[in-house]
Amino acid sequence: YDLGRGVDKDPKKALEIYEGNCQYEHPESCFYAGYAYIMDKTVAEDIPKARMLFETACNHEHAEGCFFEFFVK
């Protein structure tokens, strides 16, 4: 749903899926959910939630998650 490959593009549905996968400790999903909360114009910005998602990604050795956790204040 994020890229619209084979389905209609739906950023909110993509975020829902990413957050669901993050609960199962999938670091890439945690990262993309966090990224949506700071960069996606169709999702309400939520810096504290994004930071928490980046922290979760980082805790599972996701390098970009660690980078974004450090810089998102």
Side-chain angles (χ1 to χ4, degrees):
Y1 292 94
D2 192 15
L3 302 174
R5 293 184 183 154
V7 294
D8 291 335
K9 190 171 183 175
D10 186 343
K12 291 181 181 178
K13 179 70 174 173
L15 177 58
E16 181 182 313
I17 292 168
Y18 288 143
E19 287 184 306
N21 290 340
C22 183
Q23 292 177 358
Y24 293 103
E25 300 181 357
H26 186 267
E28 188 99 358
S29 292
C30 300
F31 171 76
Y32 283 120
Y35 191 81
Y37 279 114
I38 60 169
M39 299 300 288
D40 193 328
K41 302 301 180 206
T42 63
V43 175
E45 184 178 89
D46 189 336
I47 300 298
K49 192 165 194 172
R51 186 167 169 72
M52 186 263 318
L53 290 160
F54 291 140
E55 179 181 1
T56 302
C58 183
N59 288 341
H60 289 88
E61 301 180 8
H62 189 279
E64 290 173 297
C66 297
F67 177 83
F68 274 79
E69 179 193 9
F70 182 78
F71 285 105
V72 173
K73 304 287 184 207

